[in-house]
Amino acid sequence: MRKPFVAGNWKMHGSKASIKELIAGLNAKVEQVSGVDVTVCPPAIYIDYVSQLLNPSIKVGAQNVAQEPVQGAFTGEHSVEMLKDLGCQYVIIGHSERRAIFGESNALVAVKVKVALQAGVTPILCVGETLQERQSGVMQSIISGQLDAVLDLVGIESFEKIVIAYEPVWAIGTGVTASPEQAQEVHAFIRGKLASLSSEVAQKVIIQYGGSVKPDNAVELFGQADIDGGLIGGASLNADDFMAICKAAGA
Ligand code: PEP
């Protein structure tokens, strides 16, 4: 039985004042949530601040990590050891915004996953297709390619320690969510692909759905057989909405 997992991706949002308020809201509601693991991923510059304020039953993650495993002359980057030092247990890798805006390739994403795994930080590996890719019938090969780059570098056994987030690019931040059936179809495809390499690993791997999840669509999405929680963008900036989503994923 897989325990659902919900992670909030705050992207490049917030200030000390707004974060303090958001965390007060999360802490006030966290006791109402059970049967689900919960993490928030603030901008790196606020991770330490968040760790100090947050109820420890909510874990802290990062949104990106350097491909270089050790510290050095890499201006503007933060290493996985630095993330660990601040208490991060998770790191989002290969978000579509990093792929599209910052040009992160499948190969680079795979290297970052390896760096996180080697340090004992759980990667949340994002995969997903654009609308054009879906409409032109190459969705499965795009997602396969994103997974294969990581599989080739770290092997199927490592996927026991990787969280996958299926995030159709056309559903991120658009208010258009995949229907539960559309999402389930891709989740089943991903789990099936992993099962062709190891059925044991495939049964264990957490596959989150991400893309305009809101309190009013979360129950139906999370009710699908292969959807094990969500990666939440916009709605994670509102404590009431985020906790309602966590509740929907939990017991
Ligand atoms: C995301 O950024 O990972 C995301 C899913 O965003 P949103 O929930 O706003 O669509």
Side-chain angles (χ1 to χ4, degrees):
M1 194 56 188
R2 297 180 296 272
K3 188 172 182 189
F5 175 44
V6 175
N9 174 13
W10 293 0
K11 309 194 187 191
M12 198 173 75
H13 290 293
S15 62
K16 281 175 81 172
S18 71
I19 287 173
K20 194 171 179 188
E21 200 182 320
L22 175 54
I23 291 179
L26 298 176
N27 288 349
K29 298 222 164 186
V30 69
E31 312 266 283
Q32 299 169 15
V33 170
S34 64
V36 53
D37 289 324
V38 180
T39 289
V40 294
C41 303
I45 201 162
Y46 291 121
I47 288 171
D48 197 33
Y49 183 61
V50 169
S51 297
Q52 287 171 32
L53 297 175
L54 198 60
N55 182 307
S57 64
I58 302 178
K59 306 301 176 208
V60 182
Q63 300 172 18
N64 184 29
V65 66
Q67 71 191 92
E68 297 296 332
V70 291
Q71 58 184 291
F74 304 105
T75 303
E77 292 289 289
H78 47 270
S79 76
V80 72
E81 293 300 332
M82 293 169 184
L83 296 180
K84 267 175 79 173
D85 202 23
L86 298 186
C88 283
Q89 296 186 20
Y90 296 90
V91 57
I92 299 169
I93 297 178
H95 190 280
S96 63
E97 288 154 15
R98 297 230 43 105
R99 292 178 188 266
I101 303 169
F102 301 99
E104 294 197 3
S105 64
N106 286 344
L108 177 62
V109 167
V111 169
K112 290 187 174 192
V113 168
K114 186 174 179 185
V115 163
L117 286 172
Q118 283 177 335
V121 174
T122 303
I124 301 175
L125 166 64
C126 300
V127 299
E129 81 289 355
T130 63
L131 189 58
Q132 199 219 337
E133 288 161 349
R134 173 173 277 262
Q135 287 172 341
S136 58
V138 296
M139 174 180 82
Q140 292 193 350
S141 69
I142 291 294
I143 294 170
S144 267
Q146 292 168 341
L147 291 170
D148 283 339
V150 180
L151 282 164
D152 290 348
L153 193 67
V154 303
I156 181 68
E157 300 306 327
S158 295
F159 273 70
E160 281 195 21
K161 298 197 177 79
I162 294 174
V163 171
I164 298 173
Y166 167 57
E167 298 208 305
V169 179
W170 47 273
I172 296 178
T174 58
V176 179
T177 189
S179 69
E181 296 74 25
Q182 283 174 319
Q184 167 58 25
E185 185 193 352
V186 181
H187 281 237
F189 166 73
I190 293 170
R191 202 178 302 283
K193 179 178 169 68
L194 299 181
S196 70
L197 300 168
S198 165
S199 54
E200 210 188 319
V201 173
Q203 275 318 305
K204 285 186 192 160
V205 70
I206 298 286
I207 310 178
Q208 299 176 314
Y209 168 78
S212 298
V213 178
K214 307 280 179 235
D216 60 5
N217 58 25
V219 172
E220 233 192 316
L221 283 162
F222 298 159
Q224 303 300 308
D226 289 293
I227 300 183
D228 310 314
L231 180 55
I232 316 302
S236 71
L237 296 170
N238 178 299
D240 290 345
D241 286 354
F242 186 63
M243 286 324 228
I245 291 168
C246 292
K247 258 190 181 176

